[in-house]
Amino acid sequence: GCTGRYTRATNRLHELIATRLGAPLHVRVATTLPSPQCAIDVPGQATVKDFLLGLIDWCRHVVRLPPAAVELIKPHWNGKGPLIDPHGEQRLPIEFSRPRTGGEPPLAELVITPAKDADAATHSPPLPHFEIRCERGWARFSDPLQIAWAGEREEGQESLVSERAEVE
């Protein structure tokens, strides 16, 4: 799965934050939900709740601060039916604690969109799209083996196929 803390793209993101991009200011994760028939290859992601908690944990791992507030925003929810609705778009904003060094606390947002019929028919886990805006640039990826980024004076599109696997 590509929501784990130790994917190649996440490891490279940490290197870029430390060397070129600076501290994360805003993290956006766009995803569909796993279908009930989805073959789960990542322990702890067998339910929608586990999947979303894994994404929240990933955001926390990237910004290196504890969440201060998490709120589910459902634009058309009438208080009935399941809280996490696979058929409607939902947003899950996450506010983090203020950094000890000062400055504004980083924000994250999970944007959950309904699966298209073709996506729902597949039994593989969703591939979330990650976008990270930092003090001196940005990075984005959806494939855990590739990352695109831009800093103040340079940018890159990197293949991470030759990097260490997350199990290592």
Side-chain angles (χ1 to χ4, degrees):
C2 122
T3 58
R5 288 177 167 213
Y6 304 108
T7 63
R8 297 173 194 188
T10 301
N11 289 339
R12 180 62 179 136
L13 173 63
H14 278 295
E15 292 171 1
L16 290 165
I17 286 170
T19 59
R20 293 183 170 110
L21 303 180
L25 303 174
H26 188 266
V27 176
R28 182 178 187 275
V29 182
T31 188
T32 58
L33 296 174
S35 81
Q37 300 82 27
C38 180
I40 301 296
D41 61 348
V42 179
Q45 294 201 354
T47 67
V48 166
K49 183 176 74 175
D50 293 341
F51 176 75
L52 293 175
L53 285 173
L55 291 175
I56 293 169
D57 177 70
W58 184 89
C59 292
R60 188 220 120 351
H61 179 67
V62 167
V63 302
R64 303 279 199 210
L65 292 166
V70 179
E71 177 186 5
L72 180 65
I73 298 174
K74 295 178 58 127
H76 306 294
W77 195 51
N78 60 7
K80 297 179 184 153
L83 188 59
I84 305 294
D85 175 10
H87 305 295
E89 182 171 304
Q90 294 139 118
R91 289 179 42 245
L92 194 71
I94 306 163
E95 295 177 26
F96 289 91
S97 301
R98 188 173 298 281
R100 287 191 189 142
T101 55
E104 289 300 307
L107 298 171
E109 178 180 44
L110 304 186
V111 178
I112 305 157
T113 56
K116 296 174 184 63
D117 291 338
D119 295 341
T122 70
H123 299 308
S124 52
L127 274 179
H129 179 72
F130 301 91
E131 294 181 14
I132 304 90
R133 188 169 45 83
C134 300
E135 292 171 322
R136 298 185 304 273
W138 57 264
R140 65 175 160 247
F141 62 92
S142 34
D143 181 334
L145 300 178
Q146 284 191 318
I147 189 168
W149 59 273
E152 291 175 315
R153 290 184 282 286
E154 53 191 335
E155 59 184 66
Q157 176 94 27
E158 300 178 24
S159 168
L160 306 170
V161 173
S162 63
E163 300 289 318
R164 268 194 218 182
E166 60 190 287
V167 291
E168 292 179 55

